[in-house]
Amino acid sequence: MQATTRTPGPTGLPLIGSMLDLTRDPLAAYLAAHREHGDVVRFTAGPPGLRVEFFMVFSPEGAQQVLATRAADFRKDNTMYEEVRLSLGNGLLTSQDADYQRQRRLVQPLFTKRRVDTYADAVALESAALVERWAAVPDGVVDAAEEMSRFALRAVARILFGTDVEEAIGAVRRSFPVLGAYVRDRGFAPVRIPRQWPTPGNREAQAAERELYAVCDGIIARRAGQESDDLLGLLAAARGEDGEQLDAAELRDQVLIFLLAGHETTATSLAFALHLLGKHPEHQKRAREEVEAVLGDRAPRAEDLAALPYTTTVLKEAMRLFPAAAVIGRRSVVDCEIGGVHIPAGSDVLVTPYVTHRHPGHWEDPERFDPDRFTPEREAGRHRYAWFPFGGGPRACIGQHFSMLESVLALGALLREFEVEAVDTEVPLGQAITLEARGPVRIRLTRR
């Protein structure tokens, strides 16, 4: 296929291309590339012989093409997905083709709205425990990123493991940071040392995998033949039309992916929602008044989600500015064209919610925090892929209703009990498996 325009992109330095910019601050590099070169940009990075090339797609139209209308032409075959697959198994996030279709058939019934609404009690229980924990903080200052990670992990682990939550939580908290950093470093490395080599990094990651796998395998084995109404029990009992089911290894793979995707994304959304409300007391006041009118003194319930539209818009706007999936990677399997730019078969192609959510052609004053962008009327007039924190197309996140339910109910429970003030008004950001704060996200709490 003949490109209709010259392939745009930053040239970087003579020997290493854009490697320094991408290493120091990849998100800033993406924003600059969009500003200077347009909606589809080619990056090159690394020294000769080790140089990598990839394409960044910044427009909603391009994201829709990659994720939805031509989804079959863009596969999860890139290095980052391979590293996640090797460390955390071949669950819904990483599987493809027949494996993915089979898993989706078995798992989908557990994520219907009706089923997800039953998980609200676990969210309310962990929210109440967090309120109690925060009320005991001597100076009232907490790191929202750390606290929301802890909260979201406990909530998803309780939903997965039920009464076995405490057994699982320690292993997950020890292992996930190690494996997350390991996957990130290997995913972005120009040269990957074989995993079986006895390097310190490999040994540390292998020890984390062993601990994590042992805990999950132990719980799964102990549950064999037993019925339970937690998510693990429902996964074990799931049957396809022909009686097919997940075996023990597949159960573990799904559990690990749910633990990863089910806590990091929600934690990011909640942490930055609190951070933004702590900088904008007028929006915080409006959300609190809504929460108090709906909840009163009782615990939040699933049906409250529909009655908290402004609190929901706060979360959506936080996810616009700080999308947990800042970058979504694919690999093209055919020659194609996006935005007039030729993409050769075998190219790494990345769509970027972090940049698209700031696209000046679709968002007025894009850096401003404005929850009213997400009123039904304004959402209806916007391109479907101008905002896509949960991805899109046939591989859209299966847990997006659960994420919104958990985030809105938890935020409501916290705002009812505390006024929040941002201590750190600027937070440096980085890109790992998900968006991450490269510093504290401290907020000061005042009990109401």
Side-chain angles (χ1 to χ4, degrees), residues 266-319:
T266 302
T268 299
S269 301
L270 280 169
F272 283 107
L274 289 166
H275 166 75
L276 289 164
L277 291 176
K279 293 171 63 177
H280 298 277
E282 70 282 11
H283 295 295
Q284 182 179 163
K285 180 176 182 291
R286 186 173 166 188
R288 179 177 294 110
E289 289 173 348
E290 177 184 77
V291 167
E292 289 177 337
V294 171
L295 296 186
D297 295 328
R298 64 170 172 78
R301 300 189 294 252
E303 56 266 31
D304 295 327
L305 179 61
L308 295 170
Y310 188 72
T311 310
T312 301
T313 67
V314 167
L315 262 301
K316 287 185 172 182
E317 177 71 338
M319 287 188 283

Side-chain angles (χ1 to χ4, degrees), residues 84-95:
V84 174
R85 190 178 296 117
L86 289 171
S87 284
L88 294 172
N90 195 36
L92 273 177
L93 177 66
T94 54
S95 61

Side-chain angles (χ1 to χ4, degrees), residues 40-346:
V40 183
V41 173
R42 181 176 64 92
F43 276 91
T44 59
L50 298 174
R51 185 159 295 180
V52 297
E53 177 182 286
F54 59 92
F55 293 83
M56 304 290 298
V57 177
F58 301 127
S59 67
E61 297 81 6
Q64 184 172 28
Q65 182 176 337
V66 172
L67 297 178
T69 57
R70 297 192 62 176
D73 294 338
F74 298 92
R75 292 170 53 83
K76 290 190 170 186
D77 286 336
N78 62 21
T79 301
M80 183 62 77
Y81 280 117
E82 179 186 359
E83 291 297 331
V84 174
R85 190 178 296 117
L86 289 171
S87 284
L88 294 172
N90 195 36
L92 273 177
L93 177 66
T94 54
S95 61
Q96 299 192 102
D97 303 325
D99 284 344
Y100 175 76
Q101 296 299 331
R102 175 174 176 271
Q103 291 174 18
R104 184 93 183 195
R105 284 196 305 272
L106 289 169
V107 174
Q108 181 73 56
L110 308 186
F111 284 88
T112 62
K113 180 182 182 301
R114 182 176 180 181
R115 174 65 71 179
V116 167
D117 285 351
T118 67
Y119 307 148
D121 288 346
V123 174
L125 185 64
E126 290 297 336
S127 298
L130 182 61
V131 166
E132 196 173 319
R133 171 184 167 88
W134 279 8
V137 174
D139 62 356
V141 175
V142 299
D143 182 343
E146 181 180 330
E147 290 291 308
M148 290 301 95
S149 179
R150 182 182 184 276
F151 161 77
L153 180 56
R154 288 192 61 85
V156 74
R158 182 174 295 281
I159 290 164
L160 272 167
F161 297 119
T163 56
D164 292 316
V165 60
E166 299 301 339
E167 178 183 351
I169 205 76
V172 174
R173 284 183 62 83
R174 287 187 295 272
S175 301
F176 263 39
V178 173
L179 294 176
Y182 183 67
V183 167
R184 175 198 64 206
D185 292 346
R186 290 181 62 83
F188 291 119
V191 176
R192 289 179 290 165
I193 295 172
R195 282 175 168 245
Q196 64 269 28
W197 287 11
T199 65
N202 281 347
R203 290 199 301 268
E204 184 182 28
Q206 289 161 6
E209 287 176 11
R210 285 194 298 270
E211 180 182 18
L212 192 58
Y213 284 23
V215 168
C216 291
D217 288 345
I219 294 173
I220 290 168
R222 193 165 62 245
R223 297 283 194 85
Q226 300 179 15
E227 292 185 4
S228 63
D229 58 0
D230 55 37
L231 187 52
L232 175 57
L234 297 173
L235 281 168
R239 298 289 186 275
E241 292 181 359
D242 58 356
E244 63 180 344
Q245 64 185 108
L246 299 171
D247 63 28
E250 290 175 314
L251 278 174
R252 182 189 65 208
D253 288 352
Q254 299 304 334
V255 164
L256 291 175
I257 290 299
F258 291 158
L259 284 169
L260 170 69
H263 98 271
E264 288 199 349
T265 53
T266 302
T268 299
S269 301
L270 280 169
F272 283 107
L274 289 166
H275 166 75
L276 289 164
L277 291 176
K279 293 171 63 177
H280 298 277
E282 70 282 11
H283 295 295
Q284 182 179 163
K285 180 176 182 291
R286 186 173 166 188
R288 179 177 294 110
E289 289 173 348
E290 177 184 77
V291 167
E292 289 177 337
V294 171
L295 296 186
D297 295 328
R298 64 170 172 78
R301 300 189 294 252
E303 56 266 31
D304 295 327
L305 179 61
L308 295 170
Y310 188 72
T311 310
T312 301
T313 67
V314 167
L315 262 301
K316 287 185 172 182
E317 177 71 338
M319 287 188 283
R320 181 185 72 84
L321 289 167
F322 300 98
V327 175
I328 301 171
R330 294 289 189 269
R331 181 164 289 170
S332 62
V333 296
V334 298
D335 279 13
C336 63
E337 189 176 290
I338 301 176
V341 174
H342 176 222
I343 310 292

